[in-house]
Amino acid sequence: MPQGPFSEELIGRLKSAQRVAALTGAGISAESGVPTFRGQDGLWKRFRPEELANFDAFLRNPSLVWEWYQYRRRIIREVRPNPGHAALAQLEGLVPDFAVITQNVDGLHQRAGSRKVIELHGNIHRNRCIQCGKVVEDLEWEGDELPHCRCGGLLRPDVVWFGELLPEEALAQAYLYTRTSDVFLTIGTSAVVQPAASLPLEAKEYGAYVVEVNIESTPITPWVDEHVRGRAGELLPKLVEALARSKREGR
Ligand code: BV8
Ligand code: ZN
């Protein structure tokens, strides 16, 4: 009996998989109401990334960059994880070893119950002092003066900007999962930002079965084993249901 948009091949591989990884991008949070970067309603439409998501821009105009991050934080505080996030949290319980490798900084995977989340680009709810490096969690600050650390240094959002290195430990973990997974899902990412965008191809080189879930094709679509077109919030629950059913029926 056809189990819907995903192939028997994929269900079979997930059933026998020891390790599975899912790379996620802004597309998995879109149905929660978090704007993506490059889509129609994309953040980059109204703002230019060069002006915002890099350290020089921050030093040139910290108020503008803080305004942008406060705007995004307010949106993220109002939204909830969607069925796509929930499905990945469920998948963690159906596979011996599962990790989400996310480019998102919204923390929605953790709020959906995912326990193993590798944050490649940091987390918007964390701040860091540009002077002493101190990390400051949940900063309650809605003023027009800029937030400062006790040492007097300016605070910045603890996210990875263009031209900045990704957190070493997170990147090492991401490569470990990429190179040892039996199945590698790439979900809701435009696959243009490096080094995250190269992980699906690296997974394929190391023998993983690579599946892309997206509402459109991307530069890596020609290389994946399976491209399933559609919304993550609709497709991922179907994938998890098909896997759970297949495990129940023992086939
Ligand atoms: C690095 C900040 C080493 C966090 C972001 C020249 C100079 C310097 C660097 C470079 C250079 N040329 C290239 C580089 C490397 C650069 C890069 O890749 N540039 C690209 C744009 C060419 N990368 C870096 O700089 C990285 N660091 O390489 O350090 C180094 C150091 C010095 C010099 C060289 C190298 C740092 C990258 C991190 C940048 N930080 N943001 C924040 O504020 O969020 S980038 C931003 O893009 C976000 O982090 C985001 O995570 C990331 C990727 O975007 P996506 O998540 O894919 O989202 P997008 O909107 O693009 O796509 C959404 C997708 O979802 C679409 O495909 C859509 O179809 C789909 N979708 C929508 N709805 C749904 C859906 N799918 C399913 N269901 C739905 N409902
Ligand atoms: Zn400090």
Side-chain angles (χ1 to χ4, degrees):
M1 181 249 284
Q3 79 278 338
F6 294 92
S7 70
E8 287 281 350
E9 170 82 23
L10 171 59
I11 304 301
R13 284 173 178 266
L14 281 172
K15 246 182 85 182
S16 57
Q18 273 312 305
R19 182 170 276 176
V20 175
L23 171 70
T24 64
I28 197 166
S29 295
E31 290 157 85
S32 294
V34 182
T36 62
F37 291 89
R38 297 168 184 84
Q40 295 320 316
D41 67 338
L43 287 163
W44 293 152
K45 284 277 171 300
R46 288 198 299 291
F47 305 95
R48 285 156 39 81
E50 307 73 52
E51 275 166 17
L52 290 161
N54 75 65
F55 189 55
D56 301 337
F58 179 68
L59 290 184
R60 248 194 332 269
N61 191 341
S63 313
L64 174 70
V65 174
W66 262 117
E67 205 179 303
W68 187 53
Y69 278 91
Q70 289 296 83
Y71 157 72
R72 288 174 61 196
R73 279 180 179 170
R74 272 194 294 279
I75 293 175
I76 292 167
R77 262 200 215 103
E78 302 304 313
V79 303
R80 283 196 313 281
N82 66 60
H85 296 107
L88 291 187
Q90 253 186 295
L91 190 53
E92 194 168 346
L94 293 170
V95 170
D97 184 355
F98 178 79
V100 173
I101 304 169
T102 190
Q103 301 170 83
N104 300 340
V105 297
D106 56 31
L108 288 178
H109 284 299
Q110 294 92 322
R111 281 176 53 194
S114 285
R115 287 193 307 280
K116 187 139 184 74
V117 180
I118 301 166
E119 292 183 317
L120 290 180
H121 294 164
N123 187 306
I124 200 168
H125 304 296
R126 255 196 334 263
N127 311 281
R128 183 157 44 87
C129 172
I130 65 171
Q131 209 77 19
C132 71
K134 184 172 168 2
V135 171
V136 175
E137 298 285 345
D138 297 325
L139 177 80
E140 278 318 314
W141 157 72
E142 287 287 348
D144 41 15
E145 82 292 350
L146 292 170
H148 283 80
C149 167
R150 271 212 279 273
C151 81
L154 186 55
L155 289 180
R156 60 167 281 179
D158 192 18
V159 298
V160 179
W161 282 330
F162 285 109
E164 294 188 326
L165 296 173
L166 275 59
E168 210 175 314
E169 178 48 33
L171 195 53
Q173 275 288 315
Y175 275 115
L176 171 76
Y177 269 87
T178 296
R179 294 171 176 163
T180 56
S181 283
D182 304 299
V183 177
F184 189 96
L185 308 173
T186 172
I187 302 162
T189 181
S190 58
V192 294
V193 173
Q194 296 299 346
S198 58
L199 295 180
L201 305 183
E202 178 107 356
K204 189 159 171 64
E205 263 168 51
Y206 277 75
Y209 187 76
V210 180
V211 177
E212 179 178 49
V213 173
N214 201 309
I215 56 171
E216 62 187 15
S217 59
T218 70
I220 60 169
T221 303
W223 312 105
V224 300
D225 295 295
E226 212 165 308
H227 170 83
V228 187
R229 183 65 57 97
R231 296 185 180 292
E234 285 154 28
L235 289 174
L236 294 178
K238 289 196 175 104
L239 174 64
V240 170
E241 178 38 41
L243 175 62
R245 190 173 50 241
S246 164
K247 287 172 87 94
R248 270 197 311 272
E249 292 160 5
R251 50 181 182 76

